[in-house]
Amino acid sequence: MIILKSVSKIYPGNSVALKGINVHIKPKEFVSIVGRSGTGKTTLVRILTAEEPPTQGTVIIGGWDITHIKRSEVPILRRQIGVVFQDFKLLEKKTFFENIAFALQACGTSWRRAREIIPQVLKIVGLSGKEHRYPVQLSGGEQQRVAIARALVHRPKILLADEPTGNLDSINTQEIVDLLLKINEFGTTVLLVSHDREVVNYVNKRVITLDNGQIISDQKHGKYLL
Amino acid sequence: MNVAALIQIFTFAWQGFWRNIWLSIVTITIIALALFSVNFLIILNVVTATAIDVIKNKVDVSLYFRPEITETQVLEAQTFLSALAQIETTTYISQQDALQAFRQRHQQDQTIIASLDELGDNPLGATLIVKAKQIEDYPEIISVVTNSKYNDLILDKNFADNQVYIEKIKNVSDNVNKIGFAAAGIFILIAGLIVFNTIRVAIYTHREEIGIMKLVGATNWFIRSPFIVESFFYAILGTVLAVAVVFPALNVVQPYIDAFFLAEGFSLRDYFMSHFLAIFGIELLITILLNVSSSSIAIRRYLRV
């Protein structure tokens, strides 16, 4: 599903963010990528979403070599990868329903089709009946669920969650992690980027540990090492 | 591109237009002002071109023969001139007709009439009025006459005065055009910059939406289109406003045009109506082109991620 071969990222000023990364993530896998701040986790996410290219190496997603992806092909890639962020990135002036519909409409889906799809994803994330609330009216956990629902509307094969629990309390954190596990059970490959020890240990799946831009550990049922 | 996407693009464009309504109004006003200055330039051009045409049609050369020259000699000169390719018409005015016309012109001036009566003989010679096909031909015609054997028969020629008037009109119209072009250029430049700035503000207002659109896989074309459509709105509304201002302005100017052209009866309104599509259609196209290019440059930076 995801193959990284000798991937390095060096920013101007010879700042090394990633160095010689070799990873093979199979379909339907749940992988936690952990490490301290500044170890290259976010750079890895940005390379996977084609926000920036690697300096060296090859990146293959679903058999597609995106190392030198054309600008016009980036939207096609992003429709296959759902992304969730720590700060939710919801539009405050839109209801939950509208936030999700906006993502569909931005890709040319009709309003009628959006009305069919959205209740289904809201059901998956456990927010049925709250679609007409605004982000400020609900908790952080619920806002993150909407962000996850928005990431799922295109039925992506991969869900990239970059510190999704960073802004949440422990109860909401567990709910979000459970939701990610549920989505993984449905067959979506999940990449969880986190520096939260409890979250990673709770998931108890494959853990890739980064330090100084390099993989220092890759365990099938790993624990947070650092 | 499906219908849903098109509807979405227009909805986003309309939202952008309304959310910054004051900025939109300023942008439209500046575009209308720029177009108004362009139309002002067109009015000046049309009026001066028509004035020059009218004057050109009135221009002729009068060859005043000496009083002692006989009718036969004058008619011989007329035959000679009529044979020239540049000549449109020649009109012979006899000594008697010239005197009669002179008396009629000065019938209020008793001193002149009394002087004529005292002279007894007709002091005026016959006149040949020569009209050229092109105004540019007059110097050549004058040159042919001057170098011909008939030159000694002629007392005076009156072409120089007309030439001075035409040159003056041309100079005034050239200067007005230069100032008009500069003013229109400045307005167009300002309008371009204002549209650029308006679209940048619109993009800034929508930066969150743009970020999310990119995140969920919207194409650059889809993200860019609402802003391009918004700049279309500005171009169309700016042109409509310009039309709405230009026509009342034509009505204000028309009495002065009538006073200037008198019997020729030139209507600016009719001119603008008969050239409506050519004038405003081209202006709209150019405004759209300017707006689209200016907004495309404005949004480029935001589409790099």
Side-chain angles (χ1 to χ4, degrees), chain A residues 51 71 75 78-79 81 83 85 89-91 94 102-103 105-111 150 154, chain B residues 2 4-5 8 12 15 19 208-210 212-220 222 303-305:
Chain A
E51 284 181 62
R71 198 175 289 273
R78 290 192 183 158
R79 287 177 203 186
I81 303 174
V83 189
F85 295 95
K89 295 194 189 297
L90 297 176
L91 297 169
K94 289 186 189 287
F102 179 77
Q105 289 174 304
C107 298
T109 308
S110 70
W111 185 251
R150 186 183 59 197
H154 294 304
Chain B
N2 58 34
Q8 203 53 45
F12 287 159
Q15 281 172 355
R19 281 183 190 173
E208 259 191 299
E209 281 103 321
I210 291 175
I212 291 165
M213 279 189 198
K214 294 187 72 65
L215 184 76
V216 297
T219 59
N220 279 354
F222 186 89
L303 295 175
R304 286 200 184 130
V305 177

Side-chain angles (χ1 to χ4, degrees), chain B residues 193-209:
Chain B
L193 289 172
I194 295 266
V195 170
F196 178 81
N197 192 49
T198 305
I199 296 296
R200 278 184 74 93
V201 170
I203 293 166
Y204 186 77
T205 314
H206 291 280
R207 65 194 183 286
E208 259 191 299
E209 281 103 321

